[in-house]
Amino acid sequence: MHLYIAKRLAALVPILFGLTLVVFFIMALIPGDPALAILGAYATPENVARLNAQLGLDESLPVQYLTWLGNLLQGDLGRSYSLNRPVLDEVLERFSATLILAGAALVLCTIFGLLAGIVSAVRQYGLADKAVTLLVLVGISMPSFWLGLLLILFFAVELRWLPASGMYAIYGGGDLPDLLSHLILPAATLAAVATGVVARLTRSAMLEVLRQDFIRTARAKGLPERRVIYVHAFKAALVSIIPVIGIQAGFVLGGAVYIETVFQWPGIGRMLVQAISTRDILLVQGGVLVVAASYVLINLLVDVLQSLVDPRVKA
Amino acid sequence: MSAISTSSSAGDAARTPERPKRRSFLRLLLRNRLAGLGLVVLAAIVAIAILAPILPLADPNATAPANRLLPPLSEGHLLGTDELGRDLLSRLVWGTRLSLFMGVAATLVAALLGSTIGLVAGYFGGRLDNALMRSIDMLMAFPYILLALAIVAVLGPGLLNALYAVAIVNIPFFARNIRGVTVGLSHKDFVEAARLSGMGHGRILVSEVLPNVMPVIVITMSTTVGWMILETAGLSFLGLGSQPPQADLGSILGEGRKVMLTAPHVTTIAGITIFLLVMSINLVGDGVRDALDPRLSAGALARPAPVTRIARAKNADDAAPPEGSPALAVRRLSTRFEVGERIYRAVNDVSFTIRRGECLGLVGESGSGKSVTALSLLGLVPSPPGVIRAGRVWREGEDVLSLSREKLRALRGGRVSYIFQDPLTTLHPLFTVGDQLVEAIRAHRPASHAEAWTQAVALLDRVRIPAAADRAEALPHELSGGMRQRVAIAMALANEPDLIIADEPTTALDVTVQAQILALLDELRRESGLALLFITHDFGVVSQLCDRVAVMYAGKIVEEGPTQAVLEAPAHPYTRLLIACVPILGSGKRALDAIPGLPPAVDRLPDGCAFAPRCPRATAACKEGEIPPVSVADRRSARCLYAGEVMRAATEGSAA
Ligand code: SF4
């Protein structure tokens, strides 16, 4: 087990390295002169040249990359010109807000997706199954940004139960109930699609497993049907469900972009959208890199979890 | 088993995709009512989008500040106006047109690039495959939408850029799916043949491989186009896609958001439109997938119920319980697989008795119905599609098939237990064998986990597993095949049964292990005086183990009697041939290929004797009417018009 984790950790190094390469060179592809973008159209050529030198942009690309990587390893992602603060500080602050949102959504979609999927499989073709199938279909066809707006209109504007925006508790302003009341709507919105996907897959994984020979064995040895389904079938189905939950982690991390915009959640997705419109390239670079790196770590966690459920993959 | 093998071969066919005939494809698609509904809605939306330029619509970009934010059903503006007074209906139609175009275009780009990568990687394999797939993995290391954002950041906001971004993000889905199929195809005979005939790689890919990969491409397209419409709309919603004055549905929604509180109709109408569009596409997509890959369709994945469906006719004359107190008495059992219109008579009017402590061998080719018979006894035939249509299974004066769920559960693995063919698939792969034994014990009597564990180890010891305490901690895949089958036997013994039903328990094992397992079973049986129903295709095994034998053919028992007597003088031509094809007694694996011809499909049984088409003795009389079992000697019967002669010929033959 430890060996497996160690191996997986070692395999992280090239992936993370690859990530830095991709992120750096994507950003290097940006047409136009960043210094010009920063200084505006009326900048004098001397000023542009000075800023270019300052940013190291007059070096060759590989040199620039190495300098950038060196700085990165020291925790220096550069300075955001639009916010005038270190990129890393901004990114970490924003990312923690996104993690809360995405984490909550992931928990929601796992719980409800599994429940709905199991009920649906157990009551195949029954009323519950049809209801779940319909909800799943609605869930995965619904643009999440519109769902968010609908929820705001209904719960925040119409019923005034929950706030539509204004989540600042992360910065030390509010307490836990305040955070939760701000979290419910965006987390539910973000979880909607993922719940549908998890439910759909859980249903088919359970149905697939329930046809297996070892389920017949479980029945032949006289186990109560509850145990056959919730222990034997579910554990075997988890093997194919866990990777899908891992994929959903990526979907909620990315999908947070829309939800943060709709609910004005101070997360990294909204930061990225703003940074893209202000052409704050270093900020985009840092944000993308941190989110992607965290996604790689999440995938590692998922794999470890998988190996706990299914010891056959250990080798 | 023929019904089962029929359905699994249908599954195999689905896994190697072939181009289905177009008409049947459309029919399959339309049979799915939801998909049909989706198709209608989608067709309507597409038609409106295409006809937008000739529809009598207002100019979608004509602003009219005086008319801003008119509610729906205003005069001249069916759906009202937006914050610049532009006609919403017109904007919506043009927006739908743009969104559809973006989604379809992104799908085509992703399909083209992704499929090409997948085809090339899968076809050439080796280092090229490795390099391509590594790059794809790298793309997938980014959260889905984040990557699209990064690409838009590079290219700058704009309609086409959003389209490229969404297309690139979806390339991996195509590349992976198509590579998977191509790898399987690149070693197929027809591809090898094309290569040998000197066809260039490019031509082979296009003319031989591509047509076979096409269904997968179509499935992937139909399942991703909905997302891509959502994603491009999403980017526009964020202001990164279509730029004013041009507006797709996402932009309309995004603009409407600013006035959401005063005029919610703008976002609502745009939202509903996106939703309907994507939902209709998803419905059609699911339909396409089900039609092209039936294995994935909901119907193919019917969940087997805990007990076989039992639907017997009331006025059956099989109600009398047997005399004496046998371990089990089966009377006129009929189990069928009912798949739509087709009815497979897997078990057809089968009767037999197993006395206490007796071993009965049930012999037949695969597809003869012997396994289905075994599973029917405790209602373990998967249903759907299995249905028990007639018969009784008597045990201790009660009909097992009429027992309550709970009583049946208590019987299963309690006084009657099963051993199945391949313990690698019949043991749960993720629980230790010790835990699986503990479970079997605790399902039938109260015991703490620790007590049950001690008993489990003792059971493993009893089936001669060395170092039983250690092995109890092992998972099934960590044991050898022989050890696994010993575990399965230990599990069957867990609650001291008086009858064990063993369904080809040695078929998956190699010959030496087979002999060991048989010896173990025989020993255990004599030790504890339990009865055994032993199902096999191997007459050699029967002669070693069984007191009596019943031979099955096409769902019926065609001959029954004491093993020795049947072996010496078979009364049914089929039995005779079966015996003849055992080269060395007990050498196992030998298939029954020595009998020319195939057993009949049990959904199309011929009139008269089912064996007639293969029978060397068949006459015209054999093909008319039901052949009843006739008694040929003391406690022996056979379903053959000429049973007596066959038997006599055998005796004379062996005497000669
Ligand atoms: S009834 Fe006729 S066809 Fe059938 S086994 Fe006997 S001889 Fe052959």
Side-chain angles (χ1 to χ4, degrees), chain A residues 282-298:
Chain A
L282 287 182
L283 199 54
V284 175
Q285 207 173 39
V288 171
L289 189 67
V290 166
V291 179
S294 72
Y295 184 45
V296 170
L297 289 178
I298 290 170

Side-chain angles (χ1 to χ4, degrees), chain B residues 159-413:
Chain B
L159 190 68
L160 274 183
N161 294 345
L163 193 159
Y164 293 143
V166 171
I168 292 174
V169 168
N170 279 288
I171 286 177
F173 296 99
F174 287 91
R176 287 193 158 187
N177 285 355
I178 277 81
R179 176 187 171 270
V181 187
T182 312
V183 167
L185 285 172
S186 64
H187 300 293
K188 283 267 160 67
D189 292 343
F190 63 92
V191 177
E192 298 283 2
R195 226 173 271 158
L196 286 179
S197 75
M199 222 192 256
H201 289 310
R203 265 192 63 203
I204 296 180
L205 272 175
V206 173
S207 64
E208 303 294 326
V209 181
L210 187 63
N212 286 293
V213 174
M214 216 52 207
V216 182
I217 299 180
V218 171
I219 290 174
T220 315
M221 281 173 74
S222 66
T223 47
T224 49
V225 64
W227 296 351
M228 293 202 222
I229 289 180
L230 276 183
E231 295 317 328
T232 46
L235 288 176
S236 295
F237 173 80
L238 296 174
L240 303 175
S242 66
Q243 302 294 316
Q246 206 176 29
D248 69 355
L249 292 172
S251 307
I252 299 176
L253 195 59
E255 287 162 12
R257 180 175 161 244
K258 295 176 202 138
V259 293
M260 185 176 73
L261 296 185
T262 47
H265 68 274
V266 182
T267 54
T268 310
I269 291 169
I272 290 176
T273 312
I274 302 181
F275 173 67
L276 280 182
L277 176 59
V278 175
M279 176 131 114
S280 62
I281 289 176
N282 283 341
L283 284 174
V284 175
D286 287 356
V288 168
R289 187 199 53 197
D290 289 355
L292 287 182
D293 192 349
R295 197 172 55 96
L296 295 174
S297 78
L301 274 181
R303 160 179 120 80
V307 177
T308 309
R309 202 174 127 223
I310 299 169
R312 295 175 292 192
K314 285 247 161 52
N315 53 349
D317 55 346
D318 45 29
E323 301 135 37
S325 173
L328 198 79
V330 179
R331 291 295 174 266
R332 315 208 63 174
L333 180 72
S334 289
T335 306
R336 317 199 305 203
F337 292 103
E338 302 182 354
V339 185
E341 301 280 276
R342 286 216 190 151
I343 293 176
Y344 301 87
R345 293 167 207 280
V347 177
N348 202 347
D349 199 14
V350 161
S351 304
F352 58 84
T353 305
I354 309 170
R355 279 171 304 184
R356 300 203 167 267
E358 182 184 54
C359 174
L360 173 68
L362 195 56
V363 197
E365 289 164 280
S366 58
S368 61
K370 56 193 194 306
S371 288
V372 182
T373 305
L375 292 175
S376 300
L377 302 181
L378 296 190
L380 284 169
V381 177
S383 65
V387 192
I388 295 177
R389 281 293 178 191
R392 297 273 187 271
V393 176
W394 291 105
R395 201 188 131 77
E396 297 179 340
E398 278 185 306
D399 173 25
V400 173
L401 299 178
S402 309
L403 290 179
S404 69
R405 282 271 174 103
E406 180 50 31
K407 278 190 160 173
L408 181 61
R409 184 199 68 72
L411 193 59
R412 288 173 171 182

Side-chain angles (χ1 to χ4, degrees), chain A residues 42-87:
Chain A
Y42 301 109
T44 60
E46 295 83 64
N47 281 346
V48 172
R50 180 142 22 90
L51 188 63
N52 267 335
Q54 208 179 321
L55 295 173
L57 295 177
D58 48 357
E59 304 279 356
S60 70
L61 267 187
V63 174
Q64 279 186 44
Y65 172 70
L66 287 178
T67 322
W68 179 76
L69 190 64
N71 291 340
L72 172 69
L73 291 176
Q74 293 165 34
D76 178 8
L77 284 173
R79 212 174 164 76
S80 152
Y81 82 88
S82 64
L83 301 167
N84 196 22
R85 74 182 291 210
V87 166

